[in-house]
Amino acid sequence: MIRAAKGFRMRRSKLYRYASDAVDHGRQYAFRDRRVKKRTFRYLWQIRINAATRRRRHDLQPFHRRPKAAKVALDRKVLADLAATDASAFSELVKIAQAALKTKAAKA
C-alpha cells in the first residue's frame, strides 16, 4: 500500500492507515472515471458532428441516417475527427449521404 501511495502528500504516503484509505479511494475514482471518460468523449463527438452539420445547414438526426443509407461505415469517433480536422472530406461525406438519401427516397 505504501508503494501504491507514492506521490501522495504528507501522511497519505508515509503511514499505512492513511495510505490504505487514500489508495482505496483513488481506485474507486479510477474505476468510476473509466466509464465517465467514455461518456464524455461520446458527448464531445456528438457536439463536433452537430457543429459541422449545422455549418453546412443540415440537421443532425437525418445526417446519422444518411451514412447508413449510403453504406458508409464510419462511427461517431471518425465522423467527429473528420468534422474537426478535415472539413473538405466531411463535406464530401455529407454530399454522398445526401445523394444516397435522395436515391432511397426515389425508390420509395
Side-chain angles (χ1 to χ4, degrees):
M1 269 309 164
I2 298 291
R3 241 184 256 143
K6 181 182 175 190
F8 290 5
R9 298 179 69 177
M10 299 172 66
R11 288 187 223 186
R12 303 174 103 204
S13 66
K14 307 241 184 312
L15 302 178
Y16 182 82
R17 177 179 159 199
Y18 296 101
S20 176
D21 290 343
V23 169
D24 288 343
H25 199 116
R27 287 179 179 163
Q28 286 173 352
Y29 278 128
F31 181 82
R32 181 198 68 189
D33 289 341
R34 280 193 292 274
R35 279 121 189 109
V36 171
K37 182 170 76 169
K38 292 170 181 62
R39 186 182 320 143
T40 305
F41 271 103
R42 280 194 302 269
Y43 180 69
L44 174 68
W45 297 333
Q46 281 300 123
I47 290 171
R48 285 182 178 173
I49 293 169
N50 190 11
T53 53
R54 285 177 191 250
R55 263 187 259 138
R56 288 155 187 80
R57 291 184 171 77
H58 296 290
D59 191 26
L60 178 65
Q61 279 306 109
F63 179 74
H64 277 298
R65 287 188 294 249
R66 290 179 190 137
K68 289 180 185 176
K71 295 187 172 77
V72 176
L74 296 177
D75 59 357
R76 287 183 182 147
K77 180 179 178 181
V78 176
L79 283 173
D81 186 48
L82 284 174
T85 59
D86 194 1
S88 60
F90 190 77
S91 295
E92 288 298 316
L93 189 62
V94 169
K95 288 177 188 174
I96 291 170
Q98 283 178 331
L101 192 65
K102 286 179 185 176
T103 308
K104 186 178 178 182
K107 287 182 183 177

